[in-house]
Structures are given as C-alpha cells and as structure tokens.
Amino acid sequence: MKQLEEKILADGRVLSEAVLKVDSFLNHQIDPALMKAIGEEFASRFKAAGITKILTIESSGIAPAVMAGLSLGVPVVFARKRKSLTLTDGLYTAPVHSFTKNETNDISVSHDFLGEGDVVMIIDDFLANGQAALGLLDIVEQAGAECAGIGIVIEKGFQPGGKLLRDKGIRVETLANIKSMEPGHVEFYGEVPN
Amino acid sequence: MKQLEEKILADGRVLSEAVLKVDSFLNHQIDPALMKAIGEEFASRFKAAGITKILTIESSGIAPAVMAGLSLGVPVVFARKRKSLTLTDGLYTAPVHSFTKNETNDISVSHDFLGEGDVVMIIDDFLANGQAALGLLDIVEQAGAECAGIGIVIEKGFQPGGKLLRDKGIRVETLANIKSMEPGHVEFYGEVPN
C-alpha cells in the first residue's frame, strides 16, 4: 500500500536493523485518515470472505481494526493483555510470548463475543515473530470459529512470523512488507510474498 | 445522544448500582458505526474550539477518539498505562488512581506528540471519579498546551468526577449521562448538567 510505505519512509524511525518506530502515526500518536485508508484496504482485500467479526489486540491494533470494521459493517473485538489471568471463567485465553520484552502474557477474549459460525479477520499493527498472531489464532480455534486470514499493517518480512503463518496455509495480507532496514533506510518487498 | 442512550438501554448490563458493563459495544467488542456517530458528535460539539490534537487513554478511549480525530482532521494521541515507570526520559507522566482496582498506575505521553500551541480535546469512554481525566489534564498542563474540554462517552453522573471537573471550570461534554441505575434499569439526565 503505497500511501503507507510513503508514510513509513517519511515518518518512521529505524533505530536498528530490527526496530522501527512508528509512534508518530500508529503506536502512540495515530493518524486517523491513514487508519481509514488502511481499514478500507483490509476491507477491500477481504470483502469476498464473508467476514462476520474482526479480532485484534490492544492497543495499537484497535484503530486500524475499527476502520476495517466500519468499512465491512462488522463488529470488532479486541483481546486484552494481562500479566497472568487468575479468573478465566467465560474467557478464551492464550499465552503470547514477547521476544522484545522477554516475557509471556496471557491474552483473553470473552466467550460472549466470539463463537461457532463466526468468520474472523485478525488484524494487528506489526508482524515480526508471529507470536501475537498465533495467540489470536489459538483463540479463534478455541471459539470454534473460522479464520479467513490475517491483515497486518507492517510486516518485518526479514523476521520469521510471516513464513510461519503462511506455511500453515493461513492467508496473510500485509500492507507494507519490509525486506530490510537500517537507520536512514527502509526497503520494501515489491509484492507480498504470499 | 439518543442513539447511544438507546444502545445502553438495549445492550448495557447493570451489575450493581455502580457497575455498568458495555463490553458488547465499547469496552471489549466495539461497534464501529456507533463509534463513528460518537466521534462525529464530539467533533460537532468542539468544532469551533480550534482543536489541534485529541488526547485519550488506552484502550477503550481509542475507538471514539480516532473517529473524532477523523471528523476534525487532527491526530490522536493515546496515553499509555504502565505499572510504574522507571524510564521517564522524554515523557510527560501522571499518576492515575483506580478506585475499582484500588491501585495507582502511571500514564505517559511522549514529549514528541504534545506541546505548546496545542489545543487539546480529551476523550475518554467513562467518567466516574474523574481520576483518569485529571491525569490527562495534568499531562496537557505539563506540555504547556491548552485543554479545550473533555468529551466523555458515558458519565456516571451520580459519581463525583463530573462535578469535580466542571467546578474547575473545565468544559465537559457527555454523550450519555446516567442519573441512576440498578439491574434492569438505567435513568439518564435529560440535559447535561453543565
């Protein structure tokens, strides 16, 4: 998605070969018009999939997910992150490991908002090692719902998450797929390697 | 806002005289079309205020704030919640006490995204005791920015936050102001008591 790639080139900050900060429009400050364009792009790519629900994870997934939900006319559910869950009655839960923080947290979704018959699009801001996406897939499976695919705003294509998910046969739609980066330079894949 | 009050009556669940669950459209599952209507209502009420930035707090403030930002054409910044901040370089921070959880967390906003010259609308999902709003106001003040007012989706008008803020001379715009509630019944104020 050209508009997003241009925004990353203009306003993203590459801190190292693995760390891209997009705090100015996605992860801390949010550009609502860009989120709308992103949501419409996800909606357009999944419009034939019969999506009934969008699943994302707090906090940075919410803005693009809500815009996609607006465009498709379906509700959005965001999984909550907690240190560890003691009360899990009525919740689907899954562990998500963060390599950056070197810690594992539980994510959870209420039984009330995901179930059999749902066709789910998962949306997240970043795909790197794929741990959050795997946790969300686990929850979709626990709910007996179907996952139509995963929409990712920015994929770090040089990290293993994308291949891991695609090798499982999961449809992954990435709007900006980074081939490599270093401070001052970001290179994108020309095409999503689906 | 009639559409929101009707949604609360239809889908909100009053668990006690103080606890209203709106997990089905605001706090866990999100109704994107309702969020758009809410955002447009906030934008309309503050359209003459010269807003340059919207400030909210993760996670449930993000959806209504992004829709208001889309309508006004301004960026949204969400304050992050953390247990306690050790590294505060480059951050405005403020403590926020939760009476429900009986704990105090820090919220933070980067210096990069709020500063002198900004005219800020604060948006949050709930107003009860006003602690989150006071924390966000503290951050606006630290930034040397101006607060044009606070937009609240649901105010528990029988709790002290609204009076506390209005007594400070702060403009508070509430879309659904609850006078009293009990399981099976919610009563709204006819007019916002500004």
Side-chain angles (χ1 to χ4, degrees):
Chain A
M1 184 181 169
K2 197 156 179 56
Q3 184 187 356
L4 174 62
E5 291 184 356
E6 285 170 356
K7 188 74 173 177
I8 293 168
L9 292 174
D11 295 340
R13 285 184 305 135
V14 181
L15 301 187
S16 73
E17 287 180 12
V19 180
L20 171 68
K21 293 266 274 186
V22 288
D23 270 14
S24 65
F25 59 91
L26 181 57
N27 297 133
H28 184 19
Q29 181 166 260
I30 298 171
D31 178 334
L34 179 62
M35 292 305 120
K36 182 162 182 281
I38 285 170
E40 286 169 353
E41 179 68 24
F42 282 136
S44 152
R45 294 192 188 192
F46 282 89
K47 68 172 181 288
I51 305 296
T52 64
K53 199 150 285 196
I54 293 171
L55 177 64
T56 187
I57 185 167
E58 61 182 353
S59 291
S60 297
I62 294 174
V66 168
M67 290 301 183
L70 184 68
S71 197
L72 285 172
V74 300
V76 172
V77 177
F78 64 89
R80 298 181 174 280
K81 291 177 190 166
R82 308 207 189 148
K83 271 287 172 226
S84 74
L85 288 163
T86 44
L87 293 168
T88 60
D89 280 6
L91 297 177
Y92 308 113
T93 69
V96 172
H97 184 72
S98 164
F99 288 98
T100 328
K101 297 177 184 164
N102 193 28
E103 63 180 25
T104 301
N105 286 308
D106 284 345
I107 62 171
S108 67
V109 169
S110 166
H111 290 176
D112 291 343
F113 305 124
L114 204 59
E116 282 179 34
D118 273 323
V119 180
V120 180
M121 166 163 53
I122 291 172
I123 287 184
D124 206 3
D125 57 337
F126 269 97
L127 174 61
N129 289 294
Q131 299 302 299
L134 289 172
L136 292 167
L137 279 168
D138 186 348
I139 281 175
V140 171
E141 198 165 296
Q142 288 176 46
E146 179 197 329
C147 178
I150 302 181
I152 295 292
V153 180
I154 302 175
E155 178 174 346
K156 295 193 221 166
F158 52 88
Q159 289 190 268
K163 180 168 172 16
L164 185 80
L165 296 168
R166 292 181 181 101
D167 283 352
K168 284 175 179 284
I170 294 160
R171 180 179 174 195
V172 182
E173 293 284 345
T174 290
L175 303 192
N177 195 345
I178 298 173
K179 189 173 180 182
S180 67
M181 61 188 196
E182 58 187 73
H185 184 75
V186 178
E187 192 176 339
F188 297 100
Y189 282 102
E191 297 264 317
V192 177
N194 243 326
Chain B
M1 185 182 170
K2 195 155 181 58
Q3 183 187 355
L4 174 62
E5 291 183 355
E6 284 170 357
K7 188 76 174 175
I8 293 167
L9 293 174
D11 294 340
R13 285 184 302 136
V14 181
L15 301 187
S16 72
E17 286 180 11
V19 179
L20 171 67
K21 294 265 276 187
V22 288
D23 269 13
S24 66
F25 60 91
L26 181 58
N27 295 134
H28 185 17
Q29 180 166 259
I30 299 171
D31 178 335
L34 179 62
M35 292 305 120
K36 182 163 184 278
I38 284 171
E40 286 169 354
E41 179 67 26
F42 283 136
S44 153
R45 293 192 189 192
F46 282 91
K47 67 173 183 286
I51 304 295
T52 65
K53 200 149 287 196
I54 293 170
L55 178 63
T56 187
I57 186 167
E58 61 183 352
S59 292
S60 297
I62 293 175
V66 168
M67 290 300 183
L70 184 68
S71 196
L72 285 171
V74 301
V76 172
V77 177
F78 64 89
R80 296 180 174 282
K81 293 176 188 167
R82 309 211 186 145
K83 271 287 169 224
S84 72
L85 287 163
T86 44
L87 293 168
T88 60
D89 280 7
L91 297 178
Y92 309 113
T93 68
V96 171
H97 184 73
S98 163
F99 287 98
T100 328
K101 297 178 186 166
N102 193 27
E103 63 181 25
T104 300
N105 287 309
D106 285 344
I107 62 170
S108 67
V109 170
S110 166
H111 289 177
D112 291 343
F113 305 123
L114 204 60
E116 282 178 36
D118 272 322
V119 181
V120 180
M121 166 165 50
I122 291 172
I123 287 183
D124 206 2
D125 57 339
F126 268 97
L127 175 61
N129 289 293
Q131 299 300 300
L134 289 172
L136 292 168
L137 279 167
D138 186 346
I139 282 176
V140 171
E141 198 166 295
Q142 289 177 46
E146 178 197 328
C147 179
I150 302 181
I152 295 292
V153 180
I154 302 174
E155 178 173 347
K156 294 193 223 168
F158 52 89
Q159 289 190 267
K163 178 166 170 23
L164 186 79
L165 295 168
R166 292 180 181 100
D167 283 353
K168 284 174 178 285
I170 294 160
R171 180 179 172 194
V172 181
E173 292 285 345
T174 290
L175 303 192
N177 197 344
I178 297 172
K179 191 173 179 181
S180 67
M181 60 189 196
E182 59 187 71
H185 184 75
V186 178
E187 191 176 342
F188 298 100
Y189 282 103
E191 297 265 316
V192 178
N194 244 325

